[in-house]
Amino acid sequence: MAQVAAAGGEPVNHGEELTIDVLERALGDDVRLIANWEVVHPTRVDECDVIVVSPDGVFIVEVKYLFPPVVVEENAFFVGGKTRTHPWHLTNHKAKRLRTKLNDKVPGFRQDGWVEPLVVLAREPEVLDVDLLMINRVVLLNRAVELLAPPSPLIAPQRRGRLAGRVDEVVEAIIGAGRAAGGAQLVVPGYRLDECLFAEPGYSMWIATLELTGQQFTLERAELPAGMVGAVAEGWRAGEADVFRAAQQIGPHAGVIGPLACFDLDDGSVVTIWPAPDATPLSLHLAAADDVLDAEEAERLAADIADALAHVHAKGMGHGSVSSATAQVLADGHGALRLGHAISDDPGVVMADGGALADLFDQLAEASTTKSLADLAAELRAGTLSCAQAREALVGAAPAPAGPAEVLPSVWDLYTLAGPLTDEPAHTFLARDEGGDVVVKLLEGFDEEDPETWNEYRVLRGLNHECIVRAIGAGVAAEGPYLVTTYLDGPSLREAIDAGLVRSTDRVLSTVLELLGALDVMHPDPNARRQLTSLERSETDMATFRSLRDSSEKGVVHNDIRPENVRLVGGRRPILFDFDLAARPGALVGVVASPYRPEDLPAGEVAVDADLYAVGVMLHELLTGKQPFRTDGAGRRVLAVDESLPPEIASVIRQACAPRQHQRFRTASEFSEALVAAGVGGGLGIEVEPGAAELLSRIDRLWRDKDFDAALDLCPADWDRLRDRLETARDAAARPVDLVLAIEGVELHRVGERLIGPGQTAGASPFEEAVASVYRAVLPDGGYVDFAYACSDDAGEAWIQGLDTLHVPSRLTRLAQGLRASEQEGPDPNAVYLRLRQARLTPDRGPDWSNVFKASLSELDAGAGCDVAAVLMSAGAKAVDSQAVAIGDTGRTRGESCVVYDPDEPGDVPALAYFLTRVIPLYRCVSN
């Protein structure tokens, strides 16, 4: 029987336990099993359920224990009808990374060893449908034993048995490169994790305390799936943040429980912050009450939940998962509704919510024997009653909203957004007009005859920038003057900071640069004022004088920039609002002392650098959660920028928040230029240090000159990703070049021959074993795509398939995941024909998704940027045309383009066909 390595971890679920038990008993004593192991790489950690090491090779086994129906397609994985991340592709990425590590750690492993992925279903699902392309990739446990036992069909015959006598050496190398799963401690900056409420691979939920304030929150963490990089990873992260974005769109409501913040950790995982757990799911509440409620409580809960759902619907969203699990009972006995990832703006989801609410009403009716709830449930289910109408039926008509009876004729449905504010004499209301949600600020107590009453309106009407709130109108109601502005749907920067929204440096800088762009538009032109004072007023210069005078007189200072007055719309774009104190430079306004106002600026004086100083303080807060100064014994501020910040960024903050005006930035554009010059984020996934921008530029020049050794000498040892790319490009350049064709810098090379068998490619070979011709498409930056062509002796089976990719744009990686050409035997027994379908992007399925489509010869020429037929004919093709012309096809595929060639002497025709119709069209699309 196989031996289980003592250094491994413990199985974390029944599926892993069962798999390890079966493999241990079924495999021979020359096989080793490493259970629940993490392989550590420089930039990530790969969690492996089981690693099997045999004389034939190394296998990474991903274990799934699934009950619902499972459908496995080449690029899709469905469980119970729902799309899941494809486990084989993720495991394949792990296998590639482990193969690279073992090539370096185990002498001769590059020639003798191989690492293969395998997904094992430890329990047979109710229904299992596996595409032919995934046979021997996703298998049941009994089949896994057959595939893993030497001689393994997953390993090419010429490689089998090469690790005999070296199995323990390979095991030691793997153990030396990893740790037992669970050894890594979850760390979320700014939070203390108090209690784990729930955990499974890839997801966990915690009670956490924000260290800055001592407040408790519920924290959810979703881990980035292994192997997911680039735009695909960004898409995954965006999907995880969907519920947060929906919560911002829905806005505040006492009965809606939504996330307060959402941000990324350095490892790519997504953390969502929810309110502290002061609510109980309705299902548990009913269980605790033995399913017996009094009628009053049942109706109150039903009305509250219906009101919350009506609010969600009013914002154009559907909840999608209304149930006794998402319905909550608050500490004060009222009902609420928790948002979930099923939330959507699909009208079908909104309609389905009515039926789900009816089911909830039925549960409450049964628990309280309240017939009115059962009647309402029937009407909801029939579609004759909306959620809002159900709420009104339970508690009567909604109370009249507070606020002015009439404002603008186009504004209606006013609801209190904020009562009398602590720092301004106004009431603020959320309202609706023909264009959507708006904010109505009632200036109660202001004199409509006083010009200062309309100061904010006049200022906003003169500003036009995407990061400045927009004024819609103003007027006088019975209660006094009012101002109408756009509704900013998102948290304030203060809420972001208080909730521990620790974001990446690049994203914080992007936010601050957008704010500075708004200030650059808003502030007066200092150069115009200087030129104006030095200009001699002569008749010939009068036009110039007037132009400079107009420029110098335009613009205002916000004068009250602080985190409370900036909102993140959509969780990203900063919008500056609350221009009550805005004025021209040199004016005097009633400004009070504030941490966001320079101490050396006279009280009440308006100056441009007051706004810039405030932005500098907020930049430090966003990056560190604290302000950039401390107080000395005399109560004065002492600049104390966090030493852990990148030095160049710290230098910018020191200048923005300097204690003397002449030391600070004069304009927003100066501030922006300083941030850009800091050079944070080189785009290569490395930590940039001072001088790194210049270093990267020098390395880039050497790379373009193909002086790879000099570039490697300059490249720091810990820049692993960049060094890996340089070494790959150097190795590719050192090999003998057998160039077939070059188009727009992309070169097609002959690599040689390789024995291909099942499981050795990214797709399914029709051969048990065949010798394939291997080609490589080399991109201008050194990345490449490998693919292979093979044809059987009887000329009836021809096949071409992507093998591997390295350092290529994500839109090209699918070339190695089964974009296979279709080959069939033509009417000539001595020839085969290859269908020329073209690879194209399919953005409706995602930004990096591609597929193959029927294409005419003119479309093929446009995609490849050359005469495809001429190139193929010059390479030895017999014919290139539509199937109707080339082979006399009269069937439904007769309109498809094809190339006909001799299978005994195919030359480079199949590879050129793949190169011109698959690689080049996608590459040209990406590069453009």
Side-chain angles (χ1 to χ4, degrees):
M1 61 188 299
Q3 297 182 32
V4 180
E10 293 296 324
V12 299
N13 55 50
H14 180 64
E16 290 183 19
E17 186 177 5
L18 177 62
T19 300
I20 294 170
D21 183 57
V22 170
L23 295 181
E24 182 183 10
R25 288 186 286 105
L27 299 179
D29 57 8
D30 55 351
V31 177
R32 305 290 183 268
L33 307 177
I34 306 174
N36 205 18
W37 193 252
E38 291 181 343
V39 180
V40 181
H41 304 281
T43 59
R44 63 173 301 113
V45 174
D46 286 335
E47 295 185 359
C48 305
D49 294 341
V50 187
I51 300 177
V52 179
V53 184
S54 82
D56 287 347
V58 179
F59 306 88
I60 296 183
V61 177
E62 175 74 13
V63 179
K64 296 294 180 184
Y65 194 73
L66 304 172
F67 295 82
V70 174
V71 178
V72 185
E73 297 179 359
E74 181 184 7
N75 292 301
F77 191 80
F78 302 93
V79 179
K82 296 181 179 180
T83 304
R84 297 282 187 88
T85 303
H86 206 304
W88 188 87
H89 293 313
L90 297 181
T91 311
N92 189 35
H93 285 297
K94 296 178 186 180
K96 290 179 180 179
R97 285 189 288 271
L98 181 57
R99 186 187 312 154
T100 301
K101 186 175 283 287
L102 292 178
N103 286 344
D104 295 336
K105 286 183 168 289
V106 180
F109 189 88
R110 188 182 300 272
Q111 294 76 34
D112 298 334
W114 195 256
V115 183
E116 277 294 325
L118 184 66
V119 178
V120 174
L121 304 180
R123 178 191 187 278
E124 184 170 2
E126 295 175 359
V127 178
L128 178 60
D129 183 6
V130 181
D131 188 281
L132 288 175
L133 296 175
M134 300 308 296
I135 295 294
N136 292 342
R137 293 181 171 185
V138 180
V139 300
L140 295 172
L141 187 51
N142 57 351
R143 176 59 177 160
V145 172
E146 299 173 9
L147 295 175
L148 296 172
S152 171
L154 296 178
I155 303 296
Q158 72 272 24
R159 287 185 180 271
R160 294 173 189 163
R162 288 193 177 186
L163 294 182
R166 305 185 64 189
V167 169
D168 290 332
E169 179 186 357
V170 174
V171 170
E172 290 177 7
I174 295 173
I175 291 175
R179 63 195 178 206
Q185 178 64 40
L186 173 61
V187 176
V188 179
Y191 284 87
R192 182 182 71 248
L193 302 184
D194 301 325
E195 179 186 355
C196 182
L197 301 176
F198 176 78
E200 65 175 14
Y203 174 82
S204 56
M205 180 183 292
W206 304 74
I207 299 295
T209 299
L210 180 62
E211 294 176 339
L212 194 64
T213 64
Q215 293 175 281
Q216 277 201 326
F217 298 91
T218 302
L219 182 151
E220 291 183 356
R221 182 207 185 201
E223 298 178 42
L224 180 69
M228 193 175 283
V229 295
V232 177
E234 285 300 317
W236 175 85
R237 279 190 282 268
E240 289 297 321
D242 278 347
V243 66
F244 170 66
R245 285 194 295 271
Q248 302 311 301
Q249 178 177 334
I250 290 168
H253 187 279
V256 176
I257 302 174
L260 305 172
C262 184
F263 53 90
D264 304 340
L265 293 182
D266 291 341
D267 62 1
S269 59
V270 175
V271 171
T272 306
I273 305 296
W274 294 76
D278 59 351
T280 304
L282 180 61
S283 56
L284 297 181
H285 183 75
L286 293 175
D290 294 327
D291 289 333
V292 177
L293 300 179
D294 61 57
E296 182 181 352
E297 181 183 8
E299 289 185 353
R300 181 179 66 247
L301 292 174
D304 290 342
I305 294 167
D307 188 43
L309 188 55
H311 178 75
V312 172
H313 289 177
K315 299 299 183 178
M317 303 295 289
H319 188 279
S321 55
V322 178
S323 68
S324 58
T326 55
Q328 307 281 301
V329 180
L330 302 176
D332 61 5
H334 281 276
L337 195 58
R338 181 183 173 92
L339 302 180
H341 284 281
I343 196 162
S344 168
D345 58 2
D346 186 345
V349 176
V350 176
M351 293 179 62
D353 282 348
L357 184 63
D359 293 340
L360 207 59
F361 275 22
D362 279 337
Q363 292 182 49
L364 289 168
E366 184 177 349
S368 62
T369 64
T370 306
K371 187 177 185 301
S372 61
L373 287 179
D375 293 340
L376 290 174
E379 291 187 62
L380 283 168
R381 198 170 283 113
T384 59
L385 197 69
S386 70
C387 300
Q389 290 168 332
R391 189 257 186 205
E392 291 178 9
L394 286 166
V395 298
E406 286 187 21
V407 190
L408 292 176
S410 60
V411 176
W412 63 90
D413 290 348
L414 272 68
Y415 289 90
T416 301
L417 187 65
L421 303 180
T422 58
D423 57 356
E424 59 176 289
H427 287 73
T428 308
F429 303 90
L430 174 62
R432 187 176 300 115
D433 72 358
E434 295 176 352
D437 290 334
V438 296
V439 169
V440 178
K441 180 187 286 188
L442 178 63
L443 305 174
E444 194 173 16
F446 279 72
D447 182 1
E448 63 187 80
E449 301 296 332
D450 185 352
E452 290 301 313
T453 299
W454 309 107
N455 178 62
E456 184 172 9
Y457 177 68
R458 284 197 307 270
V459 168
L460 292 177
R461 294 294 287 182
L463 298 175
N464 182 20
H465 192 277
E466 60 185 4
C467 293
I468 297 176
V469 68
R470 184 168 60 88
I472 297 175
V476 180
E479 290 82 354
Y482 62 83
L483 169 68
V484 183
T485 63
T486 50
Y487 172 56
L488 303 181
D489 195 2
S492 68
L493 280 188
R494 170 57 61 208
E495 291 170 324
I497 295 169
D498 288 348
L501 185 53
V502 181
R503 306 193 299 174
S504 68
T505 302
D506 285 344
R507 191 171 295 177
V508 168
L509 293 185
S510 175
T511 299
V512 172
L513 285 171
E514 287 185 277
L515 274 178
L516 291 171
L519 294 182
D520 194 41
V521 170
M522 193 175 86
H523 286 167
D525 183 355
N527 295 321
R529 178 173 290 274
R530 283 197 300 272
Q531 293 178 49
L532 182 66
T533 57
S534 62
L535 185 68
E536 293 184 5
R537 295 183 56 179
S538 64
E539 195 65 34
T540 54
D541 289 327
M542 187 56 65
T544 304
F545 174 81
R546 287 172 178 166
S547 174
L548 290 173
R549 182 191 60 190
D550 291 344
S551 296
S552 68
E553 290 178 353
K554 290 180 180 178
V556 294
V557 175
H558 184 280
N559 219 35
D560 192 21
I561 293 180
R562 47 197 169 94
E564 290 82 358
N565 288 339
V566 180
R567 287 199 176 273
L568 294 174
V569 175
R572 285 180 177 270
R573 173 169 293 169
I575 306 291
L576 186 61
F577 68 101
D578 205 344
F579 282 71
D580 281 358
L581 300 177
R584 287 188 40 73
L588 292 176
V589 295
V591 181
V592 297
S594 162
Y596 301 95
R597 181 175 172 83
E599 282 189 310
D600 66 326
L601 195 63
E605 183 178 318
V606 178
V608 166
D609 72 312
D611 284 356
L612 305 182
Y613 182 94
V615 173
V617 176
M618 292 195 305
L619 171 59
H620 192 274
E621 279 191 287
L622 284 167
L623 291 170
T624 67
K626 59 186 179 182
Q627 294 175 343
F629 39 71
R630 56 180 174 82
T631 305
D632 65 10
R636 295 185 297 266
R637 291 181 211 159
V638 177
L639 194 60
V641 177
D642 195 312
E643 297 298 330
S644 66
L645 289 174
E648 294 186 359
I649 295 298
S651 176
V652 172
I653 295 174
R654 288 191 186 96
Q655 183 171 354
C657 302
R660 296 289 177 262
Q661 187 175 32
H662 70 275
Q663 299 172 319
R664 296 192 286 268
F665 294 113
R666 294 184 307 112
T667 65
S669 60
E670 281 187 11
F671 197 157
S672 299
E673 289 168 8
L675 277 180
V676 172
V680 173
L684 294 172
I686 54 181
E687 183 178 351
V688 177
E689 299 171 355
E694 179 184 354
L695 182 58
L696 286 170
S697 177
R698 293 170 61 192
I699 292 173
D700 183 63
R701 286 196 297 270
L702 291 170
W703 188 332
R704 294 181 186 279
D705 294 339
K706 299 190 182 302
D707 192 350
F708 301 109
D709 289 332
L712 282 166
D713 289 340
L714 280 179
C715 190
D718 58 343
W719 290 11
D720 298 318
R721 182 176 172 186
L722 181 56
R723 294 190 66 85
D724 183 40
R725 295 190 68 190
L726 284 167
E727 291 169 356
T728 300
R730 181 191 60 187
D731 294 345
R735 283 190 295 271
V737 176
D738 195 358
L739 182 64
V740 178
L741 181 67
I743 295 179
E744 298 182 10
V746 184
E747 299 177 348
L748 176 64
H749 295 175
R750 299 185 193 93
V751 174
E753 293 184 338
R754 174 176 167 182
L755 191 64
I756 300 292
Q760 297 300 300
T761 68
S765 165
F767 314 115
E768 188 67 30
E769 185 175 291
V771 176
S773 299
V774 179
Y775 291 80
R776 172 168 293 179
V778 181
L779 307 186
D781 66 354
Y784 62 77
V785 177
D786 279 354
F787 54 93
Y789 165 77
C791 186
S792 66
D793 294 337
D794 61 5
E797 292 278 9
W799 165 85
I800 188 166
Q801 171 64 52
L803 292 176
D804 198 5
T805 60
L806 179 67
H807 298 312
V808 302
S810 56
R811 295 178 179 182
L812 293 179
T813 55
R814 273 183 47 82
L815 288 168
Q817 296 177 12
L819 289 185
R820 297 178 300 116
S822 300
E823 304 84 12
Q824 298 177 13
E825 184 179 2
D828 182 353
N830 297 319
V832 297
Y833 75 96
L834 181 69
R835 287 181 182 170
L836 300 179
R837 294 180 177 177
Q838 190 177 64
R840 300 173 188 167
L841 294 178
T842 50
D844 58 312
R845 301 190 66 180
D848 298 316
W849 195 267
S850 58
N851 215 325
V852 287
F853 299 87
K854 174 182 174 181
S856 65
L857 287 180
S858 61
E859 289 174 319
L860 293 175
D861 293 347
C866 66
D867 188 334
V868 172
V871 173
L872 294 177
M873 290 297 290
S874 66
K878 292 186 173 184
V880 183
D881 214 320
S882 68
Q883 293 180 193
V885 175
I887 62 174
D889 184 3
T890 60
R892 64 181 180 86
T893 61
R894 61 185 179 277
E896 294 201 35
S897 302
C898 74
V899 56
V900 182
Y901 60 92
D902 186 344
D904 295 328
E905 297 182 3
D908 297 318
V909 170
L912 282 167
Y914 190 89
F915 182 69
L916 295 171
T917 63
R918 307 302 169 85
V919 179
I920 292 298
L922 287 186
Y923 176 76
R924 295 182 76 207
C925 182
V926 171
S927 60
N928 290 334

